[in-house]
Amino acid sequence: MTAIQPAVDTVEHASGTPDLEQPYRELGLKDDEYARIKEILGRRPTDAELAMYSVMWSEHCSYKSSKVHLSYFGETTTDEMRSKMLAGIGENAGVVDVGDGWAVTFKAESHNHPSYVEPYQGAATGVGGIVRDILAMGARPLAVMDPLRFGDPEAADTRRVVHGIVAGVGGYGNCLGLPNIGGEVVFDSSYQGNPLLNALCVGAMRVEDLHLAHASGTGNRVVLFGARTGLDGIGGVSVLASETFGGDEHSGGRKKLPAVQVGDPFTEKVLIECCLELFAQRVVVGIQDLGGAGLSCATSELASAGDGGMHVYLDRVPLRATGMTPAEVLSSESQERMCAVVKPEDVDAFMAICAKWDVIATDIGEVTDGDHLVITWNGEVVVDVPPRTVAHEGPVYHRPIERPADQDALQADTPDALARPSTPEELLALVTTMASSPNLASRKWVTDQYDRYVRGGTVLAQPSDSGMIRIDETTNRGVALSTDCNGRFTKLDPYAGAQLALAEAYRNVATSGATPVAVTNCLNFGSPEDPAVMWQFEQAVKGLADGCAELGIPVTGGNVSFYNQTGSTAVLPTPVVGVLGVIDDVRRRIPTGIGAEAGETLLLLGDTRDEFGGSEWAHVVHGHLGGLPPKVDLAREKLLGEILVAGSRDGMVSAAHDLSDGGLAQALVEACLIGETGARVFLDGDADPFVQLFSESAGRVLVAVPRTEELRFTDMCTARGLPWSKVGVVDPEAGALEIQGIGTLPLAELREAWEATLPALFD
Amino acid sequence: MSLRVGVITFPGTLDDVDAARAVRYADAEAVPLWHADPDLRGVDAVVVPGGFSYGDYLRCGAIARFAPVMQSVIEAAGKGMPVLGICNGFQILCEAGLLPGALVRNSKLHFVCRDQWLKVENNTTAWSSRYERGAEILVPLKSGEGGYQADQRTLDELEGEGRVVFRYVGGNPNGSRNEIAGITSANGRVVGLMPHPEHAIEALTGPTDDGLGVFLSLIDAVGVPA
Amino acid sequence: MARVVVDVVPKPEILDPQGQAVANALPRLGFEGVTSVRQGKHFELEVDDTVDDATLAKIAETFLANPVIEDWVVRRVDA
Amino acid sequence: MARVVVDVVPKPEILDPQGQAVANALPRLGFEGVTSVRQGKHFELEVDDTVDDATLAKIAETFLANPVIEDWVVRRVDA
Ligand SMILES: Nc1ncnc2c1ncn2[C@@H]1O[C@H](COP(=O)(O)OP(=O)(O)O)[C@@H](O)[C@H]1O
Ligand SMILES: [Mg+2]
């Protein structure tokens, strides 16, 4: 078996063969996009250039459909909001100054489609990718989170996807040594053929150690380090090879390559330690992770962020497979690789550190004066492009936008007519039914597969409202994070839905005692070519940006994932919002479970209205989705947050749990079970008990305050205009949740209902 | 001068920072040891921490046992130096032959992370003397291959000689034979366990501070150097 | 009763971190001359005589192997 | 150059949760007649001709398998 040496399509060859047919359509480029590439280059692109442009101009890399909308985040961010931001949208990840000389960086990313094709590896490499983004900023990755969406829990294929994704998130994150401090597990049939795997990573560094990727300084070396480059994820680009070689696997073409990448968390763990040592020894000028578009992305982005010139000797790239073409090497999505720019005098020290960690490092080129990215292959020029045209000047689309024709009908179909429970027996049974429903049941089956302890900084993780980590052992400064999104709310009203997601994440962070300071997002939508989807997207972006402006916290970064649909049916619009909070002393964190102190009073903060549009109750009991989502009041959320943080600071609050899906009933169940303590609850006799227990009105939190602090705390609420009501007392002796006038539920029975559901479905 | 306790880092070790912190919380000095360097730097005891040494792709601990530092540890253990293996460290000590038996995939095949009750069965080892015999402690367990296996003869021997140090209570989390969570060498100086006492040294970041006793016990075993 | 062996290995173009870890470790342990290692899974099945080859292939393909990233071979062996 | 296969399986008296999980799942997937499954590891090595059988046995015994819980077989196969 002899490998045929590929004849390489050089720039010279391209100039001489202007009319050669190229498979640009198979690579996803439109006629006018291809024409523009020819115009930029003044000739047809080489195979390698075509590979680069096609992947960098894809929706995923170029944000061509979302760009015009995302700029709204920048427009709505004031200087005041920006004041704590050290890096924002456009960088690998946003960076926020959190005090004591610490900078925190965090970002979420999606890996949805790969996680359907090969759930384990798709999820694993999703985690790996976001961790490298954080690492590229110069930060030590500290924790991960994983907002997940799955199809109908009863459907046969859901089991495959759940098992694979959860094991993949755990397998990679556990082996990497990053605690998993939170996430989401949501089931809805719209995700049946298109689960969502979003992964978030948070890291920290000293403010002065912030590294932004750039490649300035003529003569600086470009070093590729980490794993070897193989045929991973180049399924699309294989059309180039097959075009030249007739597409037969045995003649050098590679028709049927899987687009699947396999992760190697061990290599990534070593890469993390190696990178951190490189940063600490100050032997790198800039660093870039290799993500979606591999070397195409890393070289063009590094070059355009610097002075613009770079020469890469592509044949030096260490390969894992034989006979790879330049186009394949440039497009390979092999994981666990990084690219650094290093001063010539630091190269020896750089290589020594890599050798210590057994990391393969190769000098693959240099920064040049001039403004072209030139890539050679065995001495022949295969790429010669202005790098900005690859990395940043891709196409921009103003896609048609149209409010869906059935949106009015959807909103008019309110849940008002749905049958409600009325007798105490029905209400009591509903508490258990809701607690055991797949979206409200305990997430333990999932989270027990994730290491939440490693690194010893985890202060709060599941089942708390937010994940919290200590970042400084001497001062006890820490950060808290929560991700949220209710796709049903967003479907009913994308603008309000995005704000509700923001409000919930904000509230979760504040509920644990931290002050929210910054936002990231992962916007999962259907096809941008569908005007109705674009309307949802535009509305959600507007809602989120306006909401952030009202709360005074900036969006520091995010990710857009389009084409999430099965056939022509889009998933529920799912703009996952992540909020980062700061807490100056993690020892004053507020736990979620009640019973930490004897004789606590239970207070409900906020207003409860008859709001059931998009609620979990309508979904579980009636399979209904219609009407309007709950009202958003961000000023109220802000006040609520301030009260909670003040309460934590002054030791007035011993536990708190925010109200969201399932309303007060579910919050009570969780607060009791997590705290392993019973409670006696009294409802307002003048109001509808069903509404009091199950409404999903926003802006509410259940707090437990020690008897001695009750007056001080309620006085503060009253003085600041926050409605509160006394809803019960903690009762350690009871061993039950007693709702007066309705009935009593022994904790053991509730625990069984809450904890048995996911094991029953998936064990 | 305080007690000097070596903490080994292999490529892929994860809980070394935590083990070192636990050593410091016990008022001893944590001395970093590097897998490729056979020098034990004059330490009084060694902790082999948790993680996935060299990725653990072949079999947990299979590659790490051959590391230069482990050759020194094996030799020092032979002369009575206290050695503690936690999780991956336990697996490495078994692979290295310092402790009998082996650890296999959890019976439910999933990685398990949970707060786990353990019973202290033997309080005469270098790493358990601070506990009352029969005491129950709550520490994190987090592992995918934590099922303790050994042939019947070995098990009989371990039980007969009282060399089971920690036993799971409240249900077997991973299919370990005889609910074994941790064992010791015949001389009581080498101890290996799957659960993580180093993650239970303060209530802020662990379920309890029950695990600190493991590290404090060492002071009794070695004595504080003058 | 028959004994059947199914071997599952990662496809050649797919990264094999396990095999790579073994290959990298061997020289360190003093074993020279092993130039490449791939690590896969090995299943030994006892099956009734009613189970035909087509069924065995189906079991291997749909369950024991993940054809997206793995190749597999089924062999009947003498008991 | 020679190709060598090493198969490693859990000893019969050692619990094999992976094999058991496969055995339990098969009937649920509609495959009847598989009475027992053991799951082990399968290694494919490329070795120089200088590597003799004794060395291969040593690699298998000291490294690829853990003799406390596993049995192993080495086979040379035609390239
Ligand atoms: N996929 C997941 N990974 C990690 N933690 C999760 C995951 N899903 C849920 N959790 C955690 O479980 C707890 C309960 O989740 P959830 O009910 O969604 O919280 P909330 O309603 O407060 O947003 C939270 O601590 C959350 O972070
Ligand atoms: Mg919450």
Side-chain angles (χ1 to χ4, degrees):
Chain A
M1 203 177 71
T2 51
I4 293 172
Q5 192 57 39
V8 170
D9 186 23
T10 61
V11 167
E12 195 185 342
H13 182 241
S15 304
T17 53
D19 301 324
L20 189 83
E21 288 257 354
Q22 291 188 284
Y24 62 87
R25 284 200 201 91
E26 288 90 323
L27 291 169
L29 287 166
K30 298 268 162 18
D31 291 351
D32 56 332
E33 292 172 341
Y34 181 63
R36 231 192 99 213
I37 296 169
K38 282 174 123 172
E39 191 186 310
I40 290 169
L41 299 177
R43 57 174 164 79
R44 75 158 175 91
T46 63
D47 281 355
E49 289 167 338
L50 189 60
M52 276 183 103
Y53 278 106
S54 65
V55 63
M56 289 301 289
W57 286 13
S58 68
E59 185 67 59
H60 179 64
C61 293
S62 74
Y63 288 81
K64 56 189 169 191
S65 304
S66 53
K67 229 175 196 164
V68 293
H69 301 286
L70 297 180
S71 60
Y72 191 63
F73 285 125
E75 290 161 25
T76 46
T77 306
T78 62
D79 286 345
E80 156 111 53
M81 286 158 73
R82 235 182 281 271
S83 63
K84 289 268 189 279
M85 228 159 99
L86 303 174
I89 293 176
E91 297 299 338
N92 282 315
V95 184
V96 184
D97 186 336
V98 300
D100 284 355
W102 287 100
V104 164
T105 175
F106 73 126
K107 191 183 175 198
E109 206 163 69
S110 65
H111 219 212
N112 303 339
H113 301 285
S115 299
Y116 179 63
V117 177
E118 210 318 277
Y120 184 96
Q121 296 296 347
T125 52
V127 172
I130 191 66
V131 169
R132 285 194 301 282
D133 266 329
I134 295 306
L135 185 58
M137 301 306 291
R140 174 177 277 284
L142 291 177
V144 295
M145 301 175 86
D146 60 326
L148 309 176
R149 301 291 184 283
F150 300 108
D152 179 354
E154 307 276 355
D157 192 48
T158 303
R159 188 184 164 85
R160 170 189 76 97
V161 176
V162 167
H163 273 256
I165 287 182
V166 172
V169 169
Y172 205 97
N174 296 344
C175 187
L176 211 51
L178 292 177
N180 186 306
I181 58 166
E184 297 163 73
V185 179
V186 178
F187 299 95
D188 185 280
S189 53
S190 77
Y191 305 109
Q192 195 61 56
N194 197 121
L196 304 185
L197 176 284
N198 292 180
L200 180 149
C201 182
V202 56
M205 70 197 113
R206 301 300 296 171
V207 170
E208 62 273 18
D209 292 337
L210 177 59
H211 287 259
L212 299 179
H214 52 61
S216 53
T218 302
N220 281 345
R221 310 306 308 171
V222 179
V223 181
L224 177 67
F225 61 117
R228 288 174 180 274
T229 298
L231 292 165
D232 315 63
I234 59 173
V237 172
S238 58
V239 298
L240 283 170
S242 53
E243 196 68 11
T244 321
F245 303 106
D248 175 69
E249 270 156 319
H250 300 289
S251 66
R254 313 185 203 278
K255 259 259 142 80
K256 291 176 305 226
L257 277 184
V260 173
Q261 306 128 42
V262 170
D264 177 356
F266 167 65
T267 295
E268 180 128 320
K269 165 66 181 170
V270 172
L271 199 56
I272 292 175
E273 300 304 328
C274 179
C275 276
L276 291 171
E277 197 166 331
L278 293 170
F279 290 132
Q281 301 298 322
R282 307 201 172 274
V283 293
V284 285
V285 177
I287 206 158
Q288 172 81 44
D289 61 299
L290 271 72
L295 274 168
S296 294
C297 179
T299 55
S300 63
E301 285 196 349
L302 268 179
S304 39
D307 304 333
M310 189 183 281
H311 186 153
V312 173
Y313 305 88
L314 199 61
D315 47 285
R316 294 187 191 168
V317 171
L319 301 179
R320 213 179 66 227
T322 52
M324 288 179 74
T325 66
E328 289 174 336
V329 176
L330 281 168
S331 315
S332 162
E333 297 193 343
S334 288
Q335 302 289 298
E336 294 96 19
R337 297 179 298 163
M338 302 286 272
C339 202
V341 175
V342 185
K343 290 195 192 122
E345 62 268 29
D346 292 332
V347 168
D348 287 348
F350 185 102
M351 294 298 178
I353 292 169
C354 290
K356 173 187 164 189
W357 288 100
D358 275 326
V359 168
I360 302 170
T362 315
D363 181 329
I364 61 162
E366 68 244 346
V367 177
T368 58
D369 48 15
D371 54 6
H372 270 232
L373 169 61
V374 176
I375 299 180
T376 53
W377 180 257
N378 297 322
E380 297 188 289
V381 178
V382 293
V383 170
D384 185 352
V385 297
R388 285 197 63 81
T389 65
V390 179
H392 301 298
E393 289 160 11
V396 174
Y397 290 147
H398 290 83
R399 301 273 194 197
I401 290 176
E402 199 180 307
R403 191 171 191 268
D406 58 1
Q407 194 73 23
D408 287 337
L410 184 68
Q411 294 184 346
D413 177 23
T414 71
D416 295 348
L418 302 177
R420 298 179 171 195
S422 51
T423 67
E425 294 73 36
E426 284 171 356
L427 283 163
L428 197 66
L430 186 56
V431 174
T432 314
T433 304
M434 295 294 286
S436 66
S437 66
N439 284 336
L440 297 184
S442 166
R443 269 70 195 107
K444 241 166 128 64
W445 185 88
V446 172
T447 55
D448 277 5
Q449 298 187 46
Y450 303 155
D451 184 347
R452 60 182 179 274
Y453 284 110
V454 65
R455 299 204 62 75
T458 307
V459 175
L460 297 174
Q462 66 78 27
S464 302
D465 283 321
S466 75
M468 186 182 287
I469 46 172
R470 175 174 65 184
I471 55 175
D472 188 320
E473 284 188 43
T474 49
T475 65
N476 281 310
R477 182 166 292 265
V479 294
L481 281 143
S482 176
T483 71
D484 287 286
C485 178
N486 184 323
R488 291 193 306 263
F489 291 169
T490 320
K491 170 93 178 173
L492 297 179
D493 180 346
Y495 184 94
Q499 294 201 334
L500 284 163
L502 171 66
E504 186 177 348
Y506 185 97
R507 197 185 319 129
N508 275 320
V509 163
T511 300
S512 55
T515 304
V517 293
V519 177
T520 191
N521 64 59
C522 198
L523 309 175
N524 308 274
F525 287 78
S527 167
E529 293 160 45
D530 177 346
V533 168
M534 270 326 275
W535 174 79
Q536 292 175 331
F537 182 77
E538 182 220 23
Q539 290 291 307
V541 167
K542 279 227 168 83
L544 181 54
D546 291 345
C548 287
E550 190 168 352
L551 290 169
I553 55 175
V555 173
T556 63
N559 175 252
V560 178
S561 172
F562 279 132
Y563 299 103
N564 292 293
Q565 53 189 51
T566 309
S568 62
T569 313
V571 298
L572 289 177
T574 314
V576 171
V577 179
V579 170
L580 174 82
V582 178
I583 180 164
D584 54 3
D585 185 347
V586 292
R587 289 172 301 179
R588 67 169 173 81
R589 73 205 178 281
I590 307 177
T592 303
I594 57 173
E597 291 188 34
E600 297 158 307
T601 301
L602 290 174
L603 304 173
L604 177 61
L605 311 182
D607 290 308
T608 303
R609 291 174 290 263
D610 186 334
E611 292 180 302
F612 288 93
S615 68
E616 201 61 44
W617 167 74
H619 177 70
V620 169
V621 176
H622 297 283
H624 177 268
L625 174 58
L628 286 174
K631 284 229 163 41
V632 203
D633 181 349
L634 294 170
R636 168 60 63 76
E637 300 286 355
K638 207 170 166 177
L639 173 61
L640 190 58
E642 285 166 11
I643 298 263
L644 286 160
V645 172
S648 147
R649 207 179 284 286
D650 295 345
M652 290 187 273
V653 175
S654 54
H657 189 21
D658 93 301
L659 269 62
S660 57
D661 307 351
L664 177 64
Q666 183 66 17
L668 286 166
V669 168
E670 291 174 0
C672 287
L673 291 177
I674 294 168
E676 296 177 5
T677 306
R680 260 179 298 128
V681 173
F682 5 98
L683 299 178
D684 177 351
D686 298 332
D688 178 345
F690 168 72
V691 171
Q692 289 182 74
L693 284 172
F694 297 102
S695 162
E696 295 187 8
S697 294
R700 298 181 302 159
V701 172
L702 176 72
V703 297
V705 295
R707 193 81 49 82
T708 49
E709 303 295 335
E710 191 180 328
L711 202 58
R712 193 155 70 108
F713 185 79
T714 50
D715 279 353
M716 173 172 75
C717 293
T718 306
R720 303 208 42 188
L722 181 69
W724 59 271
S725 57
K726 195 163 164 171
V727 293
V729 293
V730 174
D731 185 356
E733 307 306 313
L737 172 61
E738 181 192 341
I739 305 173
Q740 285 185 2
I742 306 259
T744 300
L745 292 158
L747 292 191
E749 210 172 279
L750 271 180
R751 186 173 300 282
E752 173 64 19
W754 191 53
E755 290 185 355
T757 305
L758 294 194
L761 282 165
F762 300 116
D763 251 349
Chain B
M1 245 190 69
S2 59
L3 208 64
R4 286 165 51 81
V5 182
V7 177
I8 301 180
T9 299
F10 300 94
T13 294
L14 306 177
D15 300 288
D16 47 350
V17 285
D18 308 289
R21 186 186 297 114
V23 165
R24 290 197 305 273
Y25 273 52
D27 282 328
E29 180 189 348
V31 180
L33 301 177
W34 181 242
H35 73 115
D37 185 353
D39 185 359
L40 294 187
R41 302 178 62 190
V43 296
D44 302 301
V46 170
V47 179
V48 191
F52 294 79
S53 51
Y54 305 93
D56 272 350
Y57 292 126
L58 170 61
R59 198 174 56 248
C60 297
I63 297 181
R65 86 176 241 220
F66 291 104
V69 74
M70 279 309 296
Q71 305 316 305
S72 307
V73 169
I74 292 167
E75 200 176 303
K79 296 179 189 153
M81 180 188 277
V83 177
L84 174 69
I86 305 168
C87 195
N88 191 217
F90 183 20
Q91 295 162 338
I92 293 168
L93 297 185
C94 287
E95 284 279 339
L98 286 177
L99 292 171
L103 292 133
V104 303
R105 277 289 284 278
N106 292 348
S107 48
K108 277 198 173 173
L109 303 179
H110 294 157
F111 187 94
V112 168
C113 175
R114 69 183 216 193
D115 300 341
Q116 176 69 45
W117 286 101
L118 304 178
K119 185 166 182 187
V120 181
E121 299 273 24
N122 175 338
N123 66 346
T124 65
T125 78
W127 302 93
S128 62
S129 57
R130 286 288 172 105
Y131 297 104
E132 306 259 321
R133 183 147 183 256
E136 296 199 351
I137 62 175
L138 184 66
V139 299
L141 173 72
K142 52 186 187 84
S143 44
E145 306 196 8
Y148 183 77
Q149 295 287 329
D151 58 32
Q152 196 56 46
R153 233 195 62 219
T154 309
L155 285 175
D156 291 345
E157 198 175 298
L158 287 172
E159 296 288 1
E161 295 173 9
R163 286 167 56 195
V164 174
V165 185
F166 300 103
R167 211 186 293 275
Y168 299 115
V169 289
N172 192 333
N174 50 25
S176 289
R177 294 199 64 182
N178 293 18
E179 275 87 35
I180 288 174
I183 57 174
T184 185
S185 56
N187 65 359
R189 307 292 277 182
V190 179
V191 168
L193 78 168
M194 283 314 294
H196 288 264
E198 84 283 20
H199 283 294
I201 57 168
E202 54 170 350
L204 183 64
T205 55
T208 59
D209 61 2
D210 289 355
L212 201 54
V214 168
F215 301 90
L216 291 168
S217 297
L218 189 62
I219 297 170
D220 303 340
V222 183
V224 182
Chain C
M1 268 309 196
R3 253 185 74 209
V4 174
V5 167
V6 181
D7 288 320
V8 174
V9 283
K11 282 185 198 279
E13 67 272 16
I14 291 279
L15 177 69
D16 172 21
Q18 311 186 63
Q20 209 166 311
V22 172
N24 292 343
L26 285 170
R28 281 203 308 265
L29 309 186
F31 296 113
E32 301 292 338
V34 178
T35 52
S36 112
V37 180
R38 291 196 83 73
Q39 179 175 336
K41 291 177 203 135
H42 173 84
F43 298 90
E44 296 185 356
L45 283 60
E46 304 275 345
V47 304
D48 291 347
D49 295 330
T50 54
V51 181
D52 60 10
D53 287 355
T55 307
L56 289 173
K58 191 115 191 272
I59 289 176
E61 178 166 10
T62 57
F63 185 54
L64 300 181
N66 176 351
V68 179
I69 50 174
E70 293 167 329
D71 293 327
W72 49 270
V73 179
V74 179
R75 273 184 298 140
R76 284 181 184 265
V77 294
D78 309 327
Chain D
M1 267 315 198
R3 253 186 75 209
V4 174
V5 166
V6 181
D7 288 320
V8 174
V9 284
K11 279 187 198 285
E13 66 272 22
I14 293 285
L15 183 73
D16 171 22
Q18 306 188 80
Q20 209 152 348
V22 170
N24 294 342
L26 285 171
R28 268 190 277 134
L29 302 178
F31 297 111
E32 302 292 338
V34 177
T35 51
S36 112
V37 181
R38 293 198 80 73
Q39 179 174 339
K41 293 177 197 134
H42 173 83
F43 300 89
E44 297 186 356
L45 283 60
E46 305 273 346
V47 305
D48 291 345
D49 295 331
T50 53
V51 182
D52 60 11
D53 287 355
T55 306
L56 289 173
K58 191 119 191 267
I59 289 176
E61 177 166 11
T62 58
F63 184 51
L64 298 181
N66 177 351
V68 175
I69 46 171
E70 293 165 329
D71 293 326
W72 49 270
V73 179
V74 178
R75 273 185 298 140
R76 285 182 184 261
V77 294
D78 307 329

